[in-house]
Amino acid sequence: TMIVSGGRGECHTLLPEGLTLSSVLKRELEEYGVPRAKIIEEQKGNNTYQQLCELKGIIKERGLRRILIVSSEHHLPRIDAMIHYKEDLAELLNLASLVSAEEVVLKREPHWRAVIDEAYKVEPLRTIIEKEKMGIEQIKNGMYKFRQ
C-alpha cells in the first residue's frame, strides 16, 4: 500500500482547479503500474506539518506498523526535524523511515542522474534548500510556525 499526500498547498498557483499534488502523484504511480487499490490518497494536508498529521491518522486507522516517507532529498531533513522536535508527531519516530525520492528514481532509471544533479544547481532550488535549512534551525530552536 502506498499513501500519496498533498493538497494544493504552495502549488495552488501552478495546479489547475481541482487538481492536488496527491492526485498527480497517484496518476504517476498508476502509470508505473501500481494498482489503484494499493494507493491511498490524502488531499487535506497543504503543508508538510499538515501532511504528517494526516499521515498519523491514516496509520492509526489502517493499523500500519511501518511506513516509508518518500520525499525530495532536500526536504527530508526538515521532515526529520519535525518528527523529532514536534511532540504531536513523536509517534512517527518508531514507525517511519525517510527515503529520498531521487534515490527511488535512480534505482529504477539511473539515466536521470545528470538531470537531478543539474536541478540541484539552479538558483530557485538552491533558494528552496536554504529555506529548508532555516526551517530546520527554527524547528530545533522552537521558533518554527507550524500551520495547522
mmCIF file of all heavy atoms in Angstrom, residues 12-41:
data_model
loop_
_atom_site.group_PDB
_atom_site.id
_atom_site.type_symbol
_atom_site.label_atom_id
_atom_site.label_comp_id
_atom_site.label_asym_id
_atom_site.label_seq_id
_atom_site.Cartn_x
_atom_site.Cartn_y
_atom_site.Cartn_z
ATOM 1 N N HIS A 12 -0.769 25.733 -5.401
ATOM 2 C CA HIS A 12 -2.103 26.154 -5.824
ATOM 3 C C HIS A 12 -2.091 27.080 -7.040
ATOM 4 O O HIS A 12 -3.021 27.081 -7.821
ATOM 5 C CB HIS A 12 -2.872 26.800 -4.655
ATOM 6 C CG HIS A 12 -2.369 28.152 -4.273
ATOM 7 N ND1 HIS A 12 -1.292 28.317 -3.440
ATOM 8 C CD2 HIS A 12 -2.781 29.395 -4.611
ATOM 9 C CE1 HIS A 12 -1.059 29.607 -3.279
ATOM 10 N NE2 HIS A 12 -1.936 30.287 -3.988
ATOM 11 N N THR A 13 -1.022 27.823 -7.217
ATOM 12 C CA THR A 13 -0.959 28.712 -8.387
ATOM 13 C C THR A 13 -0.508 27.970 -9.642
ATOM 14 O O THR A 13 -0.704 28.457 -10.748
ATOM 15 C CB THR A 13 0.002 29.896 -8.137
ATOM 16 O OG1 THR A 13 1.296 29.373 -7.831
ATOM 17 C CG2 THR A 13 -0.493 30.772 -6.993
ATOM 18 N N LEU A 14 0.073 26.789 -9.460
ATOM 19 C CA LEU A 14 0.578 26.014 -10.595
ATOM 20 C C LEU A 14 -0.409 24.949 -11.069
ATOM 21 O O LEU A 14 -0.412 24.599 -12.245
ATOM 22 C CB LEU A 14 1.898 25.329 -10.220
ATOM 23 C CG LEU A 14 3.025 26.220 -9.733
ATOM 24 C CD1 LEU A 14 4.192 25.379 -9.236
ATOM 25 C CD2 LEU A 14 3.485 27.147 -10.842
ATOM 26 N N LEU A 15 -1.203 24.446 -10.149
ATOM 27 C CA LEU A 15 -2.112 23.350 -10.481
ATOM 28 C C LEU A 15 -3.455 23.861 -10.985
ATOM 29 O O LEU A 15 -4.001 24.805 -10.423
ATOM 30 C CB LEU A 15 -2.360 22.471 -9.244
ATOM 31 C CG LEU A 15 -1.159 21.716 -8.688
ATOM 32 C CD1 LEU A 15 -1.526 21.047 -7.363
ATOM 33 C CD2 LEU A 15 -0.667 20.672 -9.674
ATOM 34 N N PRO A 16 -3.983 23.215 -12.016
ATOM 35 C CA PRO A 16 -5.333 23.581 -12.461
ATOM 36 C C PRO A 16 -6.353 23.340 -11.345
ATOM 37 O O PRO A 16 -6.138 22.500 -10.467
ATOM 38 C CB PRO A 16 -5.592 22.626 -13.630
ATOM 39 C CG PRO A 16 -4.243 22.154 -14.060
ATOM 40 C CD PRO A 16 -3.374 22.182 -12.832
ATOM 41 N N GLU A 17 -7.436 24.074 -11.374
ATOM 42 C CA GLU A 17 -8.502 23.946 -10.363
ATOM 43 C C GLU A 17 -8.919 22.487 -10.219
ATOM 44 O O GLU A 17 -9.076 21.776 -11.196
ATOM 45 C CB GLU A 17 -9.706 24.806 -10.775
ATOM 46 C CG GLU A 17 -10.765 24.928 -9.692
ATOM 47 C CD GLU A 17 -10.248 25.614 -8.431
ATOM 48 O OE1 GLU A 17 -9.447 26.561 -8.547
ATOM 49 O OE2 GLU A 17 -10.636 25.177 -7.336
ATOM 50 N N GLY A 18 -9.053 22.035 -8.983
ATOM 51 C CA GLY A 18 -9.500 20.673 -8.707
ATOM 52 C C GLY A 18 -8.379 19.645 -8.667
ATOM 53 O O GLY A 18 -8.599 18.510 -8.281
ATOM 54 N N LEU A 19 -7.188 20.025 -9.061
ATOM 55 C CA LEU A 19 -6.057 19.108 -9.068
ATOM 56 C C LEU A 19 -5.236 19.311 -7.800
ATOM 57 O O LEU A 19 -5.021 20.435 -7.364
ATOM 58 C CB LEU A 19 -5.189 19.392 -10.303
ATOM 59 C CG LEU A 19 -4.274 18.274 -10.781
ATOM 60 C CD1 LEU A 19 -5.065 17.033 -11.162
ATOM 61 C CD2 LEU A 19 -3.490 18.752 -11.996
ATOM 62 N N THR A 20 -4.812 18.210 -7.184
ATOM 63 C CA THR A 20 -3.979 18.272 -5.985
ATOM 64 C C THR A 20 -2.655 17.569 -6.253
ATOM 65 O O THR A 20 -2.539 16.783 -7.199
ATOM 66 C CB THR A 20 -4.661 17.584 -4.785
ATOM 67 O OG1 THR A 20 -4.852 16.196 -5.122
ATOM 68 C CG2 THR A 20 -5.990 18.232 -4.440
ATOM 69 N N LEU A 21 -1.686 17.853 -5.409
ATOM 70 C CA LEU A 21 -0.399 17.180 -5.529
ATOM 71 C C LEU A 21 -0.580 15.666 -5.421
ATOM 72 O O LEU A 21 -0.004 14.906 -6.195
ATOM 73 C CB LEU A 21 0.556 17.692 -4.449
ATOM 74 C CG LEU A 21 1.950 17.097 -4.430
ATOM 75 C CD1 LEU A 21 2.663 17.299 -5.754
ATOM 76 C CD2 LEU A 21 2.764 17.701 -3.307
ATOM 77 N N SER A 22 -1.412 15.230 -4.487
ATOM 78 C CA SER A 22 -1.608 13.786 -4.309
ATOM 79 C C SER A 22 -2.257 13.147 -5.530
ATOM 80 O O SER A 22 -1.935 12.014 -5.885
ATOM 81 C CB SER A 22 -2.428 13.494 -3.050
ATOM 82 O OG SER A 22 -3.716 14.030 -3.155
ATOM 83 N N SER A 23 -3.152 13.861 -6.203
ATOM 84 C CA SER A 23 -3.795 13.280 -7.392
ATOM 85 C C SER A 23 -2.789 13.131 -8.532
ATOM 86 O O SER A 23 -2.844 12.162 -9.300
ATOM 87 C CB SER A 23 -5.013 14.102 -7.830
ATOM 88 O OG SER A 23 -4.633 15.389 -8.266
ATOM 89 N N VAL A 24 -1.843 14.070 -8.633
ATOM 90 C CA VAL A 24 -0.790 13.965 -9.648
ATOM 91 C C VAL A 24 0.100 12.765 -9.332
ATOM 92 O O VAL A 24 0.415 11.952 -10.209
ATOM 93 C CB VAL A 24 0.043 15.265 -9.708
ATOM 94 C CG1 VAL A 24 1.269 15.093 -10.605
ATOM 95 C CG2 VAL A 24 -0.816 16.428 -10.195
ATOM 96 N N LEU A 25 0.508 12.635 -8.063
ATOM 97 C CA LEU A 25 1.351 11.510 -7.650
ATOM 98 C C LEU A 25 0.643 10.175 -7.873
ATOM 99 O O LEU A 25 1.249 9.209 -8.355
ATOM 100 C CB LEU A 25 1.746 11.658 -6.181
ATOM 101 C CG LEU A 25 2.661 12.832 -5.849
ATOM 102 C CD1 LEU A 25 2.770 13.009 -4.347
ATOM 103 C CD2 LEU A 25 4.022 12.655 -6.487
ATOM 104 N N LYS A 26 -0.633 10.125 -7.547
ATOM 105 C CA LYS A 26 -1.411 8.895 -7.725
ATOM 106 C C LYS A 26 -1.444 8.500 -9.200
ATOM 107 O O LYS A 26 -1.218 7.334 -9.546
ATOM 108 C CB LYS A 26 -2.831 9.087 -7.187
ATOM 109 C CG LYS A 26 -3.679 7.840 -7.303
ATOM 110 C CD LYS A 26 -5.063 8.050 -6.708
ATOM 111 C CE LYS A 26 -5.876 6.783 -6.818
ATOM 112 N NZ LYS A 26 -7.217 6.950 -6.255
ATOM 113 N N ARG A 27 -1.706 9.460 -10.070
ATOM 114 C CA ARG A 27 -1.760 9.176 -11.506
ATOM 115 C C ARG A 27 -0.406 8.660 -12.000
ATOM 116 O O ARG A 27 -0.341 7.693 -12.763
ATOM 117 C CB ARG A 27 -2.176 10.416 -12.283
ATOM 118 C CG ARG A 27 -2.350 10.140 -13.792
ATOM 119 C CD ARG A 27 -2.775 11.344 -14.581
ATOM 120 N NE ARG A 27 -1.680 12.312 -14.607
ATOM 121 C CZ ARG A 27 -1.800 13.596 -14.303
ATOM 122 N NH1 ARG A 27 -2.962 14.096 -13.958
ATOM 123 N NH2 ARG A 27 -0.755 14.396 -14.349
ATOM 124 N N GLU A 28 0.683 9.277 -11.530
ATOM 125 C CA GLU A 28 2.014 8.822 -11.947
ATOM 126 C C GLU A 28 2.299 7.402 -11.476
ATOM 127 O O GLU A 28 2.869 6.600 -12.218
ATOM 128 C CB GLU A 28 3.085 9.788 -11.448
ATOM 129 C CG GLU A 28 3.070 11.109 -12.184
ATOM 130 C CD GLU A 28 4.116 12.092 -11.690
ATOM 131 O OE1 GLU A 28 4.895 11.759 -10.769
ATOM 132 O OE2 GLU A 28 4.155 13.204 -12.246
ATOM 133 N N LEU A 29 1.914 7.082 -10.251
ATOM 134 C CA LEU A 29 2.110 5.722 -9.750
ATOM 135 C C LEU A 29 1.308 4.716 -10.566
ATOM 136 O O LEU A 29 1.798 3.621 -10.883
ATOM 137 C CB LEU A 29 1.736 5.633 -8.266
ATOM 138 C CG LEU A 29 2.709 6.307 -7.305
ATOM 139 C CD1 LEU A 29 2.122 6.344 -5.900
ATOM 140 C CD2 LEU A 29 4.056 5.598 -7.308
ATOM 141 N N GLU A 30 0.082 5.076 -10.904
ATOM 142 C CA GLU A 30 -0.745 4.191 -11.733
ATOM 143 C C GLU A 30 -0.098 3.978 -13.099
ATOM 144 O O GLU A 30 -0.108 2.862 -13.633
ATOM 145 C CB GLU A 30 -2.155 4.763 -11.886
ATOM 146 C CG GLU A 30 -2.972 4.680 -10.620
ATOM 147 C CD GLU A 30 -4.302 5.408 -10.709
ATOM 148 O OE1 GLU A 30 -4.568 6.129 -11.707
ATOM 149 O OE2 GLU A 30 -5.097 5.271 -9.758
ATOM 150 N N GLU A 31 0.489 5.034 -13.665
ATOM 151 C CA GLU A 31 1.174 4.916 -14.953
ATOM 152 C C GLU A 31 2.388 3.993 -14.857
ATOM 153 O O GLU A 31 2.764 3.358 -15.832
ATOM 154 C CB GLU A 31 1.583 6.297 -15.475
ATOM 155 C CG GLU A 31 0.404 7.117 -15.954
ATOM 156 C CD GLU A 31 0.775 8.557 -16.312
ATOM 157 O OE1 GLU A 31 1.976 8.914 -16.294
ATOM 158 O OE2 GLU A 31 -0.164 9.327 -16.613
ATOM 159 N N TYR A 32 2.997 3.910 -13.662
ATOM 160 C CA TYR A 32 4.114 2.995 -13.437
ATOM 161 C C TYR A 32 3.650 1.582 -13.097
ATOM 162 O O TYR A 32 4.461 0.709 -12.835
ATOM 163 C CB TYR A 32 5.023 3.511 -12.315
ATOM 164 C CG TYR A 32 6.127 4.397 -12.813
ATOM 165 C CD1 TYR A 32 6.080 5.766 -12.612
ATOM 166 C CD2 TYR A 32 7.226 3.862 -13.489
ATOM 167 C CE1 TYR A 32 7.100 6.591 -13.072
ATOM 168 C CE2 TYR A 32 8.246 4.676 -13.938
ATOM 169 C CZ TYR A 32 8.175 6.042 -13.733
ATOM 170 O OH TYR A 32 9.183 6.847 -14.190
ATOM 171 N N GLY A 33 2.334 1.380 -13.058
ATOM 172 C CA GLY A 33 1.812 0.039 -12.851
ATOM 173 C C GLY A 33 1.346 -0.286 -11.451
ATOM 174 O O GLY A 33 0.982 -1.427 -11.169
ATOM 175 N N VAL A 34 1.344 0.681 -10.546
ATOM 176 C CA VAL A 34 0.848 0.427 -9.194
ATOM 177 C C VAL A 34 -0.688 0.368 -9.274
ATOM 178 O O VAL A 34 -1.322 1.302 -9.770
ATOM 179 C CB VAL A 34 1.291 1.531 -8.207
ATOM 180 C CG1 VAL A 34 0.699 1.291 -6.821
ATOM 181 C CG2 VAL A 34 2.815 1.607 -8.140
ATOM 182 N N PRO A 35 -1.295 -0.726 -8.806
ATOM 183 C CA PRO A 35 -2.759 -0.839 -8.862
ATOM 184 C C PRO A 35 -3.441 0.256 -8.041
ATOM 185 O O PRO A 35 -3.002 0.570 -6.928
ATOM 186 C CB PRO A 35 -3.043 -2.218 -8.248
ATOM 187 C CG PRO A 35 -1.744 -2.956 -8.318
ATOM 188 C CD PRO A 35 -0.669 -1.920 -8.249
ATOM 189 N N ARG A 36 -4.492 0.814 -8.596
ATOM 190 C CA ARG A 36 -5.251 1.889 -7.941
ATOM 191 C C ARG A 36 -5.654 1.508 -6.519
ATOM 192 O O ARG A 36 -5.607 2.338 -5.615
ATOM 193 C CB ARG A 36 -6.487 2.189 -8.787
ATOM 194 C CG ARG A 36 -7.351 3.301 -8.251
ATOM 195 C CD ARG A 36 -8.520 3.556 -9.175
ATOM 196 N NE ARG A 36 -8.003 4.194 -10.377
ATOM 197 C CZ ARG A 36 -8.464 5.326 -10.873
ATOM 198 N NH1 ARG A 36 -9.475 5.911 -10.312
ATOM 199 N NH2 ARG A 36 -7.932 5.852 -11.950
ATOM 200 N N ALA A 37 -6.035 0.255 -6.309
ATOM 201 C CA ALA A 37 -6.490 -0.211 -4.990
ATOM 202 C C ALA A 37 -5.369 -0.191 -3.951
ATOM 203 O O ALA A 37 -5.637 -0.235 -2.755
ATOM 204 C CB ALA A 37 -7.066 -1.620 -5.111
ATOM 205 N N LYS A 38 -4.115 -0.098 -4.399
ATOM 206 C CA LYS A 38 -2.979 -0.096 -3.480
ATOM 207 C C LYS A 38 -2.529 1.315 -3.109
ATOM 208 O O LYS A 38 -1.546 1.487 -2.397
ATOM 209 C CB LYS A 38 -1.794 -0.846 -4.108
ATOM 210 C CG LYS A 38 -2.036 -2.322 -4.290
ATOM 211 C CD LYS A 38 -1.920 -3.015 -2.984
ATOM 212 C CE LYS A 38 -1.999 -4.510 -3.138
ATOM 213 N NZ LYS A 38 -2.006 -5.173 -1.857
ATOM 214 N N ILE A 39 -3.242 2.331 -3.614
ATOM 215 C CA ILE A 39 -2.844 3.713 -3.371
ATOM 216 C C ILE A 39 -3.889 4.413 -2.509
ATOM 217 O O ILE A 39 -5.059 4.471 -2.857
ATOM 218 C CB ILE A 39 -2.670 4.488 -4.696
ATOM 219 C CG1 ILE A 39 -1.662 3.775 -5.609
ATOM 220 C CG2 ILE A 39 -2.225 5.926 -4.416
ATOM 221 C CD1 ILE A 39 -1.613 4.335 -7.018
ATOM 222 N N ILE A 40 -3.463 4.927 -1.373
ATOM 223 C CA ILE A 40 -4.311 5.745 -0.500
ATOM 224 C C ILE A 40 -3.965 7.193 -0.790
ATOM 225 O O ILE A 40 -2.792 7.566 -0.776
ATOM 226 C CB ILE A 40 -4.054 5.439 0.989
ATOM 227 C CG1 ILE A 40 -4.326 3.961 1.285
ATOM 228 C CG2 ILE A 40 -4.887 6.358 1.885
ATOM 229 C CD1 ILE A 40 -3.823 3.522 2.651
ATOM 230 N N GLU A 41 -4.980 8.002 -1.038
ATOM 231 C CA GLU A 41 -4.741 9.396 -1.369
ATOM 232 C C GLU A 41 -5.178 10.304 -0.230
ATOM 233 O O GLU A 41 -6.318 10.263 0.208
ATOM 234 C CB GLU A 41 -5.503 9.747 -2.654
ATOM 235 C CG GLU A 41 -5.159 11.095 -3.199
ATOM 236 C CD GLU A 41 -5.823 11.373 -4.546
ATOM 237 O OE1 GLU A 41 -6.550 10.520 -5.061
ATOM 238 O OE2 GLU A 41 -5.607 12.476 -5.058
#
